[in-house]
Every structure is written in C-alpha cells, then in structure tokens.
Amino acid sequence: MKLDLSTVGISCVACGTRTTLEQAIQDGWHQCLRCQFFIDPHCLQIVQNTMGGVCPSFSQGVARHPLQQADIPSEQILIFVKDQYQKGRVGALIDSLFYTIPSALDKPRHESQLQSEPEEALTREEIWQRYGLVLVQRSQGKWKTWEKVGSTS
C-alpha cells in the first residue's frame, strides 16, 4: 500500500471537514501542539475571534486548553500512519473503506437492479456518549457495524 501526502486524510476538530494531508498543507491548516488535533483556516479564525483562543478539542473529550497552533508536521504524521498500519491498527471498517481495492464484481448496477434491492448502507462519523468519535455503517437507521476512531484509551 502506498502512503503519502495524497493518500493520508485528516479532519478538522471543529467542523469535521475532511481532506488529504497534501491539500490541508496547501490550504494552511494547523495542528494544536497540545492535543494534536487539526484545524482548518476558517475554523481557526472563529476560534481566535469568538472563542477566545480555546481549542475546540474539548468537544472530543479533551480538557479545555488554549489552542497552540503550529504547522502540520507531515513527515511525522506519515511515519505514524505507516507504523500504525504495519502494526495492524487499522480496523476492518476503516480498512474496507479506505484501503481495499474495489473488485471487478463491484460494477455499476442497472436502474432495475437498484429499485429491487434494499437501501444501501450509509457510513458516517458520529459521536457516541460512551465511545466518543466512531465511524458507523448504518442501514435503514440501524447500525450494521461501527469502529472507534482515534486512540484506544
């Protein structure tokens, strides 16, 4: 598997916007030195102008602290991601969504097939009271599978 700036994605701690590491660096995203969360330039302005510089990571269960912005250390992130992947710390759901190569069987379906089949599963991020940020796959409103995003502690 190829891991580089264009294949590793990050998300904003404030609004949840996701982008590639490469695009984030080009757009001027930052990282908080204290909690290691990322923040996009628009949300950074909001934090500075309306939140008194308090890092929005408190919404993820981190103790409130001033945002200590720094440039994104892309080399360190790539080393961390490669290390985690080599240790097998990529769950089944995340692995299937981002790293599995689509097979030849996943061909586009015809309109008649789409109408007769049940609703396709929806995958999204949710914040659960007990587990925090999770990646959930739902079908007809019920969860089929889920996985905690982030640290295991």
Side-chain angles (χ1 to χ4, degrees), residues 36-55:
Q36 307 302 310
F37 280 101
F38 302 99
I39 189 164
D40 68 50
H42 176 72
C43 293
L44 180 61
Q45 288 297 326
I46 293 171
V47 165
Q48 292 172 337
N49 296 335
T50 63
M51 295 177 60
V54 175
C55 183

Side-chain angles (χ1 to χ4, degrees), residues 11 60 125-128 131-135 147-150:
S11 63
Q60 305 297 322
E125 290 179 344
E126 295 179 5
I127 297 180
W128 288 4
Y131 298 105
L133 186 64
V134 295
L135 193 60
E147 184 171 328
K148 183 169 176 46
V149 178

Side-chain angles (χ1 to χ4, degrees), residues 18 60 93-94 123-138 143 145-150:
R18 288 179 269 177
Q60 305 297 322
L93 181 59
I94 292 174
T123 303
R124 65 181 183 196
E125 290 179 344
E126 295 179 5
I127 297 180
W128 288 4
Q129 185 174 359
R130 183 171 180 182
Y131 298 105
L133 186 64
V134 295
L135 193 60
V136 181
Q137 191 172 59
R138 293 184 175 273
W143 66 268
T145 185
W146 66 275
E147 184 171 328
K148 183 169 176 46
V149 178

Side-chain angles (χ1 to χ4, degrees), residues 8-28:
V8 173
I10 61 172
S11 63
C12 176
V13 67
C15 67
T17 301
R18 288 179 269 177
T19 188
T20 63
L21 188 55
E22 180 178 44
Q23 189 64 45
I25 292 169
Q26 291 174 1
D27 292 345

Side-chain angles (χ1 to χ4, degrees), residues 38-107:
F38 302 99
I39 189 164
D40 68 50
H42 176 72
C43 293
L44 180 61
Q45 288 297 326
I46 293 171
V47 165
Q48 292 172 337
N49 296 335
T50 63
M51 295 177 60
V54 175
C55 183
S57 63
F58 66 86
S59 66
Q60 305 297 322
V62 177
R64 290 183 188 258
H65 61 274
L67 179 69
Q68 298 173 4
Q69 71 179 22
D71 291 334
I72 296 174
S74 57
E75 296 83 18
Q76 291 176 356
I77 293 170
L78 287 176
I79 290 168
F80 172 78
V81 170
K82 287 178 184 178
D83 181 56
Q84 295 300 306
Y85 187 79
Q86 289 171 348
K87 290 179 180 177
R89 293 190 179 152
V90 178
L93 181 59
I94 292 174
D95 190 44
S96 68
L97 289 174
F98 299 108
Y99 300 114
T100 304
I101 298 170
S103 69
L105 300 174
D106 295 337
K107 295 179 184 173

